[in-house]
Amino acid sequence: MGRRARDRRRQQQQQQRQERGGDGDGGDQAGWAGGYPEIVKENELFERYYQELGIVPDGEWGAFMAALREPLPATLRITGYRSHAKEILHCLKEKYFKELQDLEVDGQKVEMPQSLSWYPEELAWHTNLSRKILRKSPQLEKFHQFLVSETECGNISRQEAVSMIPPLLLNVNPHHKILDMCAAPGSKTAQLIEMLHADMNVPFPEGFVIANDVDNKRCYLLVHQAKRLNSPCIMVVNHDASSIPNLQIDVDGRKEVLFYDRILCDVPCSGDGTMRKNIDVWKKWTTQNSLQLHGLQLRIATRGVEQLAEGGRMVYSTCSLNPIENEAVIASLLEKSQGALELADVSSELPGLKRMPGITKWKVMLKDGQWFEEWKDVPSNRQTQIRPTMFPVKDEEKLKAMNLDRCLRILPHHQNTGGFFVAVLIKKSPMPWNKRQPKVHQKVPQRIGNTEVTAANSDNGSECIAEEPSLAENEESKKMQELQNSDTEQSKKEGVCGPPPSKKMKLFGFKEDPFVFLPEDDPLFLPIQKFYALDTSFPKMNLLTRTQEGKKRQLYMVSKELRNVLLNNSERMKVINTGIKVWSRNSDGELFGCAFRLAQEGIYTLYPFIHARIINVCIEDVKILLTQENPFLSKFSSETQKKVKDMAMGSIVLKYDPDPEKPGDLQCPIVLCGWQGKTSLRAFVPKNERLHYLRMMGVEVFKAKRKEEELESKTEEGIHNMLPQTEERMDVEDKEHDLVTKMEADLGEEPSHSPVESSAVEVENKIEGLDQSSKNADSHVSQESKDTDASNGKD
């Protein structure tokens, strides 16, 4: 649906609400309750339940309930490489925040944004502006455009404050192997990726993130979030987290089980901590939701600790306040671990974060209001709804040893946030149901049922651990094993990562193209290596394509560690996406010595290995490249003209290095992909990334956006010529990017744990429809033949 159509629809809805007698909540709250004007923020059972449990300190109940009825402040987090993040922070503080001073919207004074005191380096902020006010107020239009544009290119994440906590408590280092078990929509996953790339001078960190989600459609939203960060160290997979399969990796010719150093276990929950933004929770809340989710949450957490390495850390979190989903799950997990797990004391971490300790006593309530204090009190006809693991441990000594007070519960009224629960677990030894076997030296056969595998965390490299069937038996993987045939092993020999073609596999969500690694002797690579003078250390074995037949249009890249995972688990995993695009085929490129041009998406990964076709440009040259479509060489600095003079036409790297002696200029390095024509020089950079760099350099881009919107209203097709045609519009992947962005905008800043509805299906259908129209839009040409691709359209 187009922007104008959405605006018309919103205006009609607004008019209908006014005709019914207002927005329901009045004032600023209407902006948050606009979709739920009929919902009254009252729930007697909710109040009775939590008052009885005593999770709120004495004398604070009124403040607690008042906070739940207030709209949630908008929060944002600055993402990406640290040097770029600091420039964005500087831009926010010196330009956009200053413009909010003394501003009033609908009679209400806009409070100045405040940094979250507990988030490192002032990279997270909150404001009292609601989403509706940000979108609709003319005074905030410039600020809103900045937020939208920077979010689309991955520099800002509109993320709820409390959801930023779990990744911080994981204490991630760049060498850690990380599993995000329930990852969609991906804001926490993005934080994990950023931590891996803490040092932007290291293109391939040793660690990686495997981000999983059970919902196939939401996985594509997760892909979109991850792609913003352009990392070769992220893989998106689609499994039930409670039965996610064991993976194997090759270590010196031996198959060993992949154990993770860090696991994020942010489980599906009832979400009563999100009442401030998900208004319908007020109407739908019942204790039955928690009772139904408890078993799933415990199974997911159990599967997580099974795959955690000894000494590793797992964070369990929910956006629920209910002890049945929180302390009861943790207590049950600790009890059956028999000392293998312990709760970490994180009281000194994240100073400034106001938190309540976990509770040790609670009761269980049915939806009819009936209470039970012990399992023995539950009648037999209720024992399918209520389970023994939902009750607190009665043995006082055992209860004390669990240290449940080390859990964190965030209450909304303490620092104007949503409600949240976090527990940090450390694995001290193997789980008691995993037996340690005698030394095994032979290779272990690959098995889907996880009944026989080798451990990655053996004591001396020769001793192996064989795991018994896990508590969360992977039934889904067993079904998949029945579908495998001899094509699997053959595909692996050919470097193909992905399931063999099977009609039945589509039932399990296999709709992706295969991942085919480039053979070491592939003749495709030699001209690329020569043209760009790639360093001998370039890991060419990490290059892959997404097709087995026909011409290879795109070349992608993954880290060495993810390549290992892909090659050894093609029959286990349902991989949705991995790798970043580093080269794209240019049909005219062979005339200039290389059939593949550089892709902006992967340039920061590639750049350290490139020794040719690099042009260092000054800041004025960068401004010309980003604001003009095909600037003639005569417009650039004399230094740039000299460098270009003797260089052959074709794809190039444009590098800007900051000058410390000019503190007023942009102080972070920029690497751009470009094309050198006979008489011109141009940059192939996505539109939002162009706007980002221009903002960082102090160039006003708001007017350009306004003109673009005026063009859209005047032309039925909505085609604009204000900004240069960009590299990413030449590819169907980026039409997917645009569509998913629109879907994400409709979902809001941080979707709840409920699955994405039909919008994701519509996105897939639209992408399929776009595929045919984009087949001929994959080449870039020199200045002599300008781009005339009519399929580019507007974002």
Side-chain angles (χ1 to χ4, degrees):
M1 183 180 294
R3 185 186 295 113
R4 288 174 293 168
R6 287 200 302 271
D7 288 344
R8 284 196 299 270
R9 186 184 63 186
R10 287 170 182 157
Q11 288 171 3
Q12 290 170 356
Q13 290 174 343
Q14 178 73 14
Q15 185 176 357
Q16 289 170 0
R17 286 196 294 269
Q18 290 173 351
E19 290 172 355
R20 289 197 300 265
D23 284 343
D25 285 322
D28 183 52
Q29 291 193 29
W32 292 83
Y36 311 95
E38 75 285 356
I39 291 180
V40 178
K41 294 179 181 178
E42 298 286 347
N43 189 304
E44 184 182 347
L45 187 66
F46 173 88
E47 295 196 43
R48 183 150 60 95
Y49 182 72
Y50 281 116
Q51 279 184 309
E52 179 69 22
L53 291 181
I55 67 165
V56 179
D58 292 340
E60 296 183 20
W61 182 259
F64 169 74
M65 290 303 298
L68 284 178
R69 294 186 177 103
E70 287 294 315
L72 189 68
T75 51
L76 60 90
R77 185 173 58 80
I78 301 170
T79 68
Y81 292 126
R82 280 291 177 264
S83 61
H84 285 231
K86 288 177 181 177
E87 288 296 320
I88 297 169
L89 176 61
H90 177 78
C91 184
L92 269 173
K93 291 169 73 173
E94 297 303 316
K95 179 176 173 59
Y96 293 97
F97 288 168
K98 283 186 176 181
E99 293 177 358
L100 300 180
Q101 288 180 341
D102 303 320
L103 186 64
E104 287 192 8
V105 177
D106 294 341
Q108 180 181 356
K109 189 179 186 302
V110 174
E111 294 178 10
M112 286 297 293
Q114 301 292 321
S115 64
L116 300 179
S117 61
W118 47 268
Y119 201 95
E121 301 183 57
E122 287 190 306
L123 294 178
W125 294 72
H126 70 96
T127 172
N128 68 332
L129 295 169
S130 72
R131 284 174 293 188
K132 180 182 177 182
I133 287 179
L134 273 172
R135 290 170 180 165
K136 292 296 184 181
S137 301
Q139 307 100 304
L140 298 170
E141 187 176 7
K142 190 184 297 187
F143 183 43
H144 181 239
Q145 281 188 15
F146 169 82
L147 294 179
V148 170
S149 181
E150 293 297 322
T151 299
E152 287 178 359
C153 57
N155 297 311
I156 281 179
S157 174
R158 291 171 289 179
Q159 182 178 359
E160 189 177 346
V162 289
S163 89
M164 303 175 192
I165 298 171
L168 293 177
L169 291 177
L170 270 178
N171 289 352
V172 169
N173 289 318
H175 65 276
H176 283 151
K177 299 173 180 65
I178 308 166
L179 173 64
D180 191 348
M181 300 188 76
C182 308
S187 295
K188 298 181 188 69
T189 310
Q191 280 181 270
L192 298 174
I193 298 170
E194 292 164 33
M195 293 171 185
L196 284 183
H197 291 275
D199 184 354
M200 69 179 293
N201 295 314
V202 180
F204 292 102
E206 291 182 27
F208 56 78
V209 177
I210 294 180
N212 173 72
D213 202 82
V214 67
D215 190 293
N216 186 261
K217 301 178 187 70
R218 280 170 66 86
C219 281
Y220 292 94
L221 188 59
L222 180 56
V223 169
H224 174 65
Q225 286 273 39
K227 273 191 173 183
R228 293 167 167 174
L229 295 164
N230 297 331
S231 171
C233 305
I234 170 71
M235 179 189 294
V236 177
V237 299
N238 176 209
H239 289 278
D240 177 353
S242 65
S243 58
I244 191 168
N246 278 349
L247 302 183
Q248 292 184 351
I249 53 176
D250 187 279
V251 180
D252 298 326
R254 293 185 300 122
K255 291 292 192 307
E256 295 189 355
V257 172
L258 171 60
F259 286 96
Y260 301 94
D261 303 300
R262 298 289 186 267
I263 294 180
L264 178 56
C265 186
D266 185 51
V267 296
C269 64
S270 62
D272 58 18
T274 70
M275 282 179 158
R276 299 182 68 177
K277 67 173 184 178
N278 295 328
I279 315 297
D280 58 340
V281 176
W282 285 96
K283 181 177 64 175
K284 297 178 180 178
W285 189 91
T286 170
T287 55
Q288 190 67 22
N289 298 337
S290 295
L291 300 180
Q292 290 174 343
L293 285 164
H294 170 86
L296 173 64
Q297 292 162 339
L298 182 55
R299 289 195 302 275
I300 293 174
T302 301
R303 190 68 187 122
V305 295
E306 285 174 352
Q307 299 199 324
L308 188 63
E310 290 181 45
R313 175 178 281 217
M314 183 177 92
V315 170
Y316 175 90
S317 61
T318 74
C319 49
S320 168
L321 301 171
N322 200 322
I324 306 302
E325 303 176 64
N326 298 326
E327 284 91 346
V329 172
I330 297 300
S332 178
L333 197 57
L334 289 170
E335 186 173 27
K336 66 183 178 182
S337 78
Q338 299 176 19
L341 299 172
E342 72 173 2
L343 276 169
D345 182 1
V346 293
S347 57
S348 62
E349 298 183 35
L350 306 186
L353 177 66
K354 297 176 183 177
R355 63 195 92 183
M356 294 295 295
I359 61 176
T360 57
K361 304 292 182 184
W362 62 88
K363 298 186 290 185
V364 179
M365 179 201 272
L366 289 173
K367 65 180 180 180
D368 60 6
Q370 185 178 3
W371 288 97
F372 297 99
E373 293 195 27
E374 296 184 60
W375 167 249
K376 63 182 180 64
D377 299 331
V378 180
S380 57
N381 65 332
R382 296 293 192 181
Q383 291 182 3
T384 55
Q385 295 174 276
I386 300 177
R387 306 300 304 150
T389 53
M390 295 177 183
F391 293 90
V393 176
K394 291 299 180 184
D395 187 320
E396 290 295 332
E397 187 175 336
K398 190 181 292 186
L399 184 64
K400 183 179 179 182
M402 287 182 176
N403 295 310
L404 289 179
D405 59 309
R406 292 180 177 178
C407 299
L408 281 67
R409 181 175 275 100
I410 310 298
L411 298 179
H413 64 293
H414 282 168
Q415 52 211 331
N416 200 12
T417 64
F420 212 69
F421 175 88
V422 187
V424 182
L425 293 158
I426 304 292
K427 187 173 182 179
K428 299 164 63 180
S429 60
M431 304 308 289
W433 52 88
N434 296 142
K435 289 184 178 179
R436 184 173 289 276
Q437 300 292 330
K439 293 181 180 180
V440 179
H441 295 282
Q442 73 271 21
K443 290 185 180 179
V444 182
Q446 297 182 17
R447 278 236 193 112
I448 292 302
N450 300 325
T451 56
E452 187 177 3
V453 288
T454 321
N457 60 342
S458 55
D459 294 336
N460 56 17
S462 60
E463 185 178 27
C464 297
I465 300 171
E467 294 189 357
E468 291 182 332
S470 66
L471 296 186
E473 188 70 35
N474 193 351
E475 294 296 335
E476 180 184 34
S477 293
K478 283 185 174 181
K479 294 177 185 176
M480 291 305 303
Q481 175 67 1
E482 295 170 3
L483 295 173
Q484 304 302 317
N485 53 40
S486 60
D487 290 341
T488 302
E489 197 59 36
Q490 183 62 30
S491 296
K492 185 179 171 187
K493 289 177 182 176
E494 295 172 358
V496 179
C497 299
S502 166
K503 291 181 180 179
K504 287 189 177 182
M505 282 191 177
K506 290 186 178 179
L507 298 175
F508 295 89
F510 281 117
K511 297 179 182 178
E512 294 297 315
D513 294 327
F515 296 86
V516 186
F517 281 97
L518 226 59
E520 191 170 0
D521 58 350
D522 195 314
L524 190 74
F525 182 71
L526 192 58
I528 295 176
Q529 186 177 35
K530 184 178 179 182
F531 190 72
Y532 297 102
L534 296 179
D535 194 271
T536 53
S537 65
F538 179 76
K540 62 181 178 181
M541 293 297 289
N542 298 355
L543 289 173
L544 59 86
T545 64
R546 301 298 302 275
T547 179
Q548 290 178 267
E549 299 177 356
K551 277 192 173 183
K552 298 174 176 66
R553 285 190 59 221
Q554 318 286 352
L555 294 181
Y556 301 87
M557 197 162 202
V558 295
S559 65
K560 178 181 69 176
E561 289 74 17
L562 275 188
R563 180 182 188 273
N564 193 342
V565 173
L566 274 168
L567 285 176
N568 287 285
N569 299 280
S570 61
E571 75 281 11
R572 288 178 173 81
M573 294 190 303
K574 293 186 281 189
V575 180
I576 300 298
N577 194 274
T578 191
I580 54 170
K581 184 167 60 179
V582 287
W583 279 291
S584 292
R585 181 176 289 277
N586 172 14
S587 58
D588 295 315
E590 294 179 17
L591 301 175
F592 310 113
C594 183
F596 285 85
R597 61 174 177 80
L598 296 163
Q600 182 66 28
E601 179 182 323
I603 192 59
Y604 284 96
T605 299
L606 272 186
Y607 177 75
F609 301 100
I610 298 175
H611 295 305
R613 306 196 61 77
I614 299 174
I615 300 174
N616 289 94
V617 292
C618 64
I619 195 165
E620 295 305 321
D621 288 340
V622 177
K623 291 177 182 177
I624 292 170
L625 287 163
L626 297 177
T627 55
Q628 298 184 34
E629 184 171 355
N630 277 305
F632 286 105
L633 290 174
S634 58
K635 294 187 176 183
F636 294 92
S637 64
S638 57
E639 290 81 3
T640 298
Q641 292 184 48
K642 288 176 186 176
K643 294 170 186 173
V644 172
K645 185 177 179 182
D646 298 323
M647 192 177 289
M649 291 191 292
S651 185
I652 55 171
V653 178
L654 300 156
K655 175 72 185 299
Y656 164 75
D657 288 306
D659 185 349
E661 296 181 2
K662 297 180 179 178
D665 286 352
L666 184 67
Q667 289 300 303
C668 67
I670 297 177
V671 183
L672 306 176
C673 291
W675 183 274
Q676 181 192 341
K678 193 172 183 179
T679 59
S680 67
L681 197 63
R682 66 181 299 187
F684 286 144
V685 182
K687 183 191 70 176
N688 283 311
E689 200 167 334
R690 288 174 180 268
L691 296 177
H692 160 69
Y693 288 130
L694 289 170
R695 285 191 192 96
M696 297 304 102
M697 292 184 290
V699 177
E700 180 60 71
V701 296
F702 179 70
K703 292 178 182 177
K705 182 73 176 175
R706 293 291 296 170
K707 288 181 182 178
E708 182 183 314
E709 290 174 352
E710 288 168 10
L711 267 173
E712 182 189 11
S713 65
K714 290 177 182 177
T715 58
E716 197 171 323
E717 298 79 17
I719 297 174
H720 69 91
N721 299 309
M722 186 60 202
L723 291 171
Q725 301 297 336
T726 64
E727 161 196 16
E728 303 301 322
R729 293 185 182 181
M730 308 301 289
D731 201 308
V732 69
E733 291 179 21
D734 303 290
K735 298 185 186 296
E736 172 187 354
H737 169 99
D738 294 338
L739 290 165
V740 180
T741 301
K742 291 172 183 174
M743 178 181 79
E744 186 184 51
D746 290 338
L747 287 172
E749 59 181 31
E750 175 81 0
S752 65
H753 286 285
S754 59
V756 170
E757 297 175 357
S758 60
S759 54
V761 182
E762 294 167 7
V763 168
E764 291 184 32
N765 293 337
K766 289 176 182 176
I767 293 167
E768 290 173 6
L770 286 167
D771 188 41
Q772 185 62 36
S773 66
S774 63
K775 282 186 177 178
N776 298 321
D778 63 341
S779 66
H780 285 282
V781 295
S782 63
Q783 171 67 24
E784 284 69 40
S785 55
K786 289 189 177 181
D787 249 321
T788 56
D789 181 17
S791 67
N792 281 333
K794 250 188 66 62
D795 286 347

